[in-house]
Amino acid sequence: MAVLSLGTSHAVRVIHEKGQLNHTYQNFAYAIHPEAYLIGLPSNNGADVLAWANKLFNSSFAELNAIILNPPETETIFLPFINGERAPIWEDTAMAHLFNLTRISTRESVLYAIILGMVFNIKQNVDQLAELADFKAIGLVGGGTSLASLPQLIADVLGYTLYIPTMKNAETLGSIAAVKGKTFQMEYKRVHPNENLGYTRLYDKYKETLDEQYK
């Protein structure tokens, strides 16, 4: 199982028996004991993107939650690099961009595009990690889990079942377990992905737009 931590920033990581490195992806690989490495990809942009959107549009997390539950049609693409970016593009001068705004764009459709941009950025890092190590599910931790509808959207876009620990400080306990070889009993909320929701087309459009900006 991989772990996605979603707070102000985000990172996805997994324990692997080899120190897998890809110089294009610039992933990290830390030896945590003689036969295991923690490999992953870190991003500057996570749920801070949503807090920024709330400030900019005078929206709220309750409104974002409602938009995710009843998503509007959108063709708008948002590159979420409000803090520069590490993985996946490694460009400290990167900036956020909105594309494909038209006269029929609405406040809600733009906010939804911003949410999707954040999640699509996560997906790129998850997909790259999946090329370095095999995993079948993802543990989701961090403050981003407090937005009730967001885990389902993340599961749908990523295509993985999410395991969300109900215990506080689960990420810290997981780190201790990995390094010290200890076992902690945890309970999880499972979020299974829905299929065929049409995110593939928008994600492909997102990647095309990203490539045009940061080749």
Side-chain angles (χ1 to χ4, degrees), residues 99-111:
F99 296 90
N100 302 340
L101 291 171
T102 71
R103 63 182 297 173
I104 63 172
S105 298
T106 65
R107 179 174 180 276
E108 289 74 19
S109 71
V110 172
L111 282 168

Side-chain angles (χ1 to χ4, degrees), residues 54 57-68 107-108 111:
N54 283 340
F57 287 87
N58 195 28
S59 54
S60 65
F61 286 111
E63 182 179 3
L64 299 185
N65 194 66
I67 288 172
I68 294 171
R107 179 174 180 276
E108 289 74 19
L111 282 168

Side-chain angles (χ1 to χ4, degrees), residues 150-200:
L150 185 58
Q152 185 64 63
L153 177 63
I154 293 173
D156 293 345
V157 171
L158 301 188
Y160 288 91
T161 295
L162 303 182
Y163 287 77
I164 305 173
T166 58
M167 180 185 294
K168 293 182 178 180
N169 302 318
E171 189 172 7
T172 300
L173 293 176
S175 299
I176 294 172
V179 175
K180 300 296 185 180
K182 295 183 179 294
T183 301
F184 299 97
Q185 294 296 323
M186 293 192 188
E187 295 183 355
Y188 300 88
K189 174 186 175 183
R190 292 173 177 83
V191 180
H192 300 288
N194 296 307
E195 297 181 356
N196 303 318
L197 295 182
Y199 294 114
T200 299

Side-chain angles (χ1 to χ4, degrees), residues 9-10 14 22 24 27 31 41 44 57 61 74 84 98 102 131-132 154 156 169 182 188 191 204 211:
S9 56
H10 83 259
V14 69
N22 182 298
T24 299
N27 64 286
L41 294 142
N44 290 349
F57 287 87
F61 286 111
T74 187
L98 275 169
T102 71
E131 294 181 22
L132 301 173
I154 293 173
D156 293 345
N169 302 318
K182 295 183 179 294
Y188 300 88
V191 180
D204 288 344
D211 287 344

